[in-house]
Amino acid sequence: MYRTDIFRTATFRLTLAFVVAMIGGITMQFLLVYAQMNGYESARSSDLLRREAALLVQETPERLEDVVRERSKTDLRVILNGAGLFDLNHNRIVGDIRRWPEGLEVSNRTRRLKVAPPGDTPYEMRYLAIEVPGPGGGAGDRILVLARSMHMADELRYIIKRAALISLVPMVLFALLAGLFLSHRALARVKEMRQAIERIMAGDLHERLPAGREWDDIERLAGAVNRMLDRLEHLLDEIRDVGNDIAHDLRTPLARVRARLERALSSSDDPVHLKSIILRATQDLDQCFSVITALLRIGEIENGRRQAGFTTMDLSELVAGIADLYEPIAEAGGLALTVEGADRAIPLYGDMDLLNEVLANLVDNAIKFTPPGGDVGLMVGQDEQGCAWLQVHDTGIGIAEEERGAVLGRFYRSDKSRHIPGSGLGLSLVSAILHLHGATLKISAFRPNQELAGSVFTIHFSGWSGSERSASIT
């Protein structure tokens, strides 16, 4: 089965196509060479016949008869393969052309005629028939017929045919052998990939296709598949981790709800006490619902289902609205909330509700993780290319450099934030919304090398903002 597969590979089929094209090209080349050489030989034969005829016409009738009679003994035997004198009735007078060639006409043009001698193989000759003076002095009393053999053209045809066969057969055999070798090599690589795929399908998600250095199409394809498998493995790990995190985060509030309800059943009938238990149970259930709702929103946004709400908006207006909303909360916590760059319109193509949620999450986190007396700032602007950018900074506990990528994952919470209520889904939601908008998020320290380093969240809307996608904002 493996040997028959070689002949079904794309490499071998490509080799066969190349062989067919090569045969066609060589055949065309030899046909063109033969046509050129045959045309040259035909023109040369016609020219020789005309020149010899022009010389013989100048001879006297008696001398012309002697020359024609003795042609085979003179130098004319090299140029002419036949000569004869005929009268106007096509009767032979002298020469080695015994009969008038069938189809020959008196003309200054040569004619290519087939001669069929009795008991011999027919062959072709080139003839020229012109009128010459006779003994009586008449201008057209006789007809001089000259003939030249076509054996040179036949020899050229034979030589070219033989050369084509001699050169074509080794080339075709070499191409087929090369095709078999390359097909065997490609099939071996495909076999290795198929075995690797079977191991992956059997459950070994760490297996990868042999990709090499990606010098050819198969290796590049294998490299792309390997990168896809890396992404799938990463997503499966995330799904497994998310499932564990969901179970962990929902188990605690649900366990509290169950315990409180059991205490309510065993406690007295005090309405105030029962109302307090039900209120706390409701708050725990609300926490569960908020986790589930956040997960559903992240999934909805990552699937790109919210792009229908995209429209031209003013980013400065959005920032100013968030600042007005959170300024009382910041003051209540002893924080100063500042805004820069919101005094001019900054066009942006996006979903205002989703971006409002991004800003609300970032500002809420900044306020939540900044101790009293600190600062929270909002900055907005445009770069030289007209792309909008946004920045939220604080003077809080900050995020360690090694955790700045992990905080964007679901349910991740750094050790410094464990004592603060939350589900760990806020920045995941921010990351999903920014990815939907084609924006990038960069996290850095606001005050490096200090105990309260703070955080800076910089958002750059590359390719999504600017006048080419925005209408005039007044």
Side-chain angles (χ1 to χ4, degrees), residues 14 72 92 102 117 163 169 180-181 185 252 281 330 341 359 362 373 406 431:
L14 185 61
S72 60
R92 174 177 172 272
E102 185 177 356
V169 171
L180 289 174
F181 171 75
R185 183 170 176 267
T252 301
L359 273 178
L362 294 179
S431 178

Side-chain angles (χ1 to χ4, degrees), residues 288-301 357 410-411 423-426 428-429:
C288 296
F289 288 137
S290 65
V291 171
I292 295 173
T293 302
L295 288 173
L296 291 176
R297 282 183 57 76
I298 292 174
E300 179 184 359
I301 293 170
E357 194 164 352
R410 301 178 186 180
F411 297 104
S423 62
L425 291 173
S428 298
L429 184 61

Side-chain angles (χ1 to χ4, degrees), residues 315 341 344-348 379-391 438-440 458-468:
L315 187 59
R344 64 187 183 91
I346 298 178
L348 178 70
M379 296 180 63
V380 64
Q382 284 181 300
D383 59 15
E384 296 178 354
Q385 287 75 33
C387 297
W389 59 268
L390 178 66
Q391 193 176 88
T440 58
T458 304
I459 303 170
H460 191 267
F461 295 91
S462 175
W464 286 82
S465 59
S467 57
E468 68 275 4

Side-chain angles (χ1 to χ4, degrees), residues 55-94:
L55 292 175
L56 292 176
V57 167
Q58 298 177 8
E59 301 287 348
T60 62
E62 293 77 11
R63 174 63 181 165
L64 179 59
E65 287 186 19
D66 293 338
V67 171
V68 172
R69 185 182 299 111
E70 302 295 331
R71 180 200 63 82
S72 60
K73 299 178 182 180
T74 62
D75 293 340
L76 286 178
R77 70 180 184 276
V78 179
I79 301 174
L80 302 177
N81 298 105
L85 275 175
F86 293 83
D87 60 17
L88 298 180
N89 295 322
H90 299 172
N91 297 317
R92 174 177 172 272
I93 299 174
V94 67

Side-chain angles (χ1 to χ4, degrees), residues 2 5-6 9 182-192:
Y2 179 74
D5 288 340
I6 292 179
T9 60
L182 295 175
S183 300
H184 184 273
R185 183 170 176 267
L187 195 61
R189 295 166 64 190
V190 171
K191 183 180 179 181
E192 293 178 0

Side-chain angles (χ1 to χ4, degrees), residues 237-266:
D237 292 339
E238 281 191 348
I239 291 173
R240 183 169 53 251
D241 294 339
V242 166
N244 296 333
D245 292 334
I246 291 175
H248 179 271
D249 282 15
L250 294 183
R251 180 178 180 179
T252 301
L254 290 176
R256 289 200 300 264
V257 170
R258 178 182 176 86
R260 286 173 180 144
L261 292 177
E262 287 178 350
R263 285 199 302 271
L265 288 175
S266 61

